[in-house]
Amino acid sequence: MPFPGARSRSPRAVLLAVVLVTMLAGCSGGGGGGSSSPSPSPSPSPPASAGGAARVTIDNFTFTPAALTVAPGTEVTVVNKDSVAHTLTAATGKVFDTGTIGPGKTATFRAPGKAGAYPYVCTIHPFMKGTLTVR
Ligand SMILES: [Cu+2]
C-alpha cells in the first residue's frame, strides 16, 4: 500500500461490498435457520410423488393400475371401491401387505426400500394380480 491516503475509499468500499454480499448470501441461502430442507431447491415435493400419485384402486376385482412404479419407501394408498373385502399383498415374502380392506375402505402400505419388481395378489381372490415396481 504505497498511497494509503489517496486510496482511502477503496478499502472501505471493498469492505462494504463484502458485508453486503455476506448479508445477501445469508438471506437468500439460509432462509433464517437451516430448517428441514437439505436442498436449496425450491421444490417441496418429496421423491414419494416422483411417479405421480402412489395409489392403487380396486374396482370390480381388478387392481388399477395393474403395474405401478414408485420410489423406494413410498407410501401407497389402496382404495377398495368394491362391495367386498380385498387385500393387496406381496406375492413373495409378504414384504408388504395391506391386510383386509373392507368395502369402500382405504388402506396404505409402504413400498420396499429395495428396487425391484414385486408382484402382488389379493389373498382373498388370488386371481387378482398386480405388480409394484420400485426404482
Ligand atoms: Cu380380493
Side-chain angles (χ1 to χ4, degrees), residues 58 61 84-87 122-125 128:
I58 303 172
F61 295 83
V84 299
H86 295 291
T87 78
C122 169
T123 57
I124 305 170
H125 314 99
M128 294 173 59

Side-chain angles (χ1 to χ4, degrees), residues 21-135:
V21 167
T22 304
M23 286 171 65
L24 284 171
C27 283
S28 62
S35 52
S36 55
S37 179
S39 152
S41 158
S43 164
S45 300
S49 58
R55 172 189 287 250
V56 175
T57 300
I58 303 172
D59 196 3
N60 195 26
F61 295 83
T62 305
F63 294 112
T64 304
L68 178 67
T69 300
V70 299
T74 299
E75 187 172 79
V76 182
T77 300
V78 184
V79 181
N80 180 6
K81 291 188 171 176
D82 267 345
S83 54
V84 299
H86 295 291
T87 78
L88 192 160
T89 307
T92 51
K94 288 205 173 183
V95 288
F96 51 86
D97 182 8
T98 61
T100 301
I101 312 170
K105 293 290 200 314
T106 297
T108 61
F109 69 91
R110 193 161 293 279
K114 190 179 170 199
Y118 298 86
Y120 59 81
V121 297
C122 169
T123 57
I124 305 170
H125 314 99
F127 58 88
M128 294 173 59
K129 292 180 167 129
T131 302
L132 180 75
T133 299
V134 175
R135 71 177 179 201

